[in-house]
Amino acid sequence: NRYKVPRICFINKLDRGGANPWKGIKGMRKDLRLPACAVQIPIGLEGEHEGVVDIIRMKAIKFQGPKGETVVEEDVPENLIEAAQTA
């Protein structure tokens, strides 16, 4: 972090087998020794992936349609409110 340049890491493929965004964040913290945090948390993983929770705006963003081409904004699902508030 010599030059104090901000970094963004995009964790992709949350709908695939073995998806684990938390492993990537932990790796950035441990291996790269960088402060890392999520700004979105997934709504389901692998075959159950429906979208993400934007923890900055506290809104759920869901992908609907055969290929997820329709984006719908909703309230955060009850089961993810605590996780979104503490992320």
Side-chain angles (χ1 to χ4, degrees):
N1 201 12
R2 176 176 163 186
Y3 299 106
K4 309 227 185 273
V5 176
R7 296 168 181 92
I8 295 175
C9 178
F10 182 80
I11 299 174
N12 199 8
K13 310 285 187 199
L14 295 177
D15 60 333
R16 305 295 167 82
N20 185 347
W22 311 117
K23 182 178 177 183
I25 291 171
K26 286 178 185 176
M28 285 184 277
R29 290 177 182 159
K30 181 182 176 198
D31 301 333
L32 301 177
R33 294 186 214 123
L34 295 171
C37 67
V39 294
Q40 294 179 335
I41 58 174
I43 301 172
L45 291 172
E46 300 179 358
E48 304 294 319
H49 185 61
E50 296 178 29
V52 295
V53 173
D54 179 335
I55 62 175
I56 307 244
R57 296 183 314 126
M58 289 302 286
K59 288 289 182 183
I61 302 164
K62 292 188 175 181
F63 314 116
Q64 298 176 348
K67 295 185 180 182
E69 67 277 0
T70 305
V71 179
V72 178
E73 189 173 289
E74 301 176 352
D75 291 331
V76 177
E78 290 289 324
N79 65 323
L80 293 175
I81 291 175
E82 185 177 343
Q85 291 172 337
T86 59

